[in-house]
Amino acid sequence: MSDCLFCRIANGEIPSNKVYEDDTVYAFYDIDPQAPTHILVIPKAHIASVAEITPENATVAAHIFAVISKVTKDLGLESYRVVSNIGQQAGQSVPHLHFHVLSGRDMTWPPG
Ligand code: 5GP
Ligand code: ZN
């Protein structure tokens, strides 16, 4: 989608600090980190949120988790939190599926 921020980051139109890229997935550092390490992992194809994952597009969602597993190992992260916000009340501000990977500090539960 030409007017989607994360589509434009994934296709290189908007610069980002890349962590990982392959044919279907892109990972980059969050511009406003909420932990010493804060990465976003997204599909290159536009999917609005977890709520839009279907049997037809679920392969990329599964692949995102394989990428999270690899990238965190490559960065030496042993403990981290994976979060996806869905909808306004949960705090989603960018309507393109993304998983936050947060690491490097103590975290509380439940999240606020
Ligand atoms: P959400 O609020 O939708 O769960 O997460 C969106 C995330 O995208 C936020 O953590 C925000 O800091 C990050 N973000 C927003 N705009 C940009 C940008 O232009 N570049 C990068 N790297 N991150 C962004
Ligand atoms: Zn998009």
Side-chain angles (χ1 to χ4, degrees):
M1 272 168 67
S2 59
D3 60 346
C4 171
L5 174 64
F6 284 0
C7 283
R8 296 178 74 195
I9 285 178
N11 71 23
E13 257 181 76
I14 293 176
S16 63
N17 195 353
K18 180 168 83 173
V19 178
Y20 173 90
E21 179 174 18
D22 63 28
D23 287 348
T24 58
V25 171
Y26 190 76
F28 56 107
Y29 286 100
D30 196 292
I31 203 167
D32 181 21
Q34 301 302 311
T37 300
H38 185 171
I39 294 165
L40 299 171
V41 187
I42 68 174
K44 287 187 170 179
H46 185 83
I47 299 172
S49 77
V50 167
E52 304 303 321
I53 296 174
T54 64
E56 289 70 37
N57 66 19
T59 304
V60 72
H63 182 50
I64 283 173
F65 280 91
V67 168
I68 290 171
S69 178
K70 173 187 162 40
V71 163
T72 49
K73 284 185 183 70
D74 288 350
L75 293 174
L77 306 177
E78 289 178 357
S79 185
Y80 52 91
R81 184 171 288 176
V82 179
V83 178
S84 191
N85 299 318
I86 296 97
Q88 196 176 14
Q89 189 174 33
Q92 184 177 10
S93 61
V94 178
H96 179 124
L97 178 65
H98 52 283
F99 292 87
H100 299 259
V101 179
L102 300 142
S103 185
R105 65 165 170 82
D106 294 339
M107 292 183 198
T108 58
W109 190 263

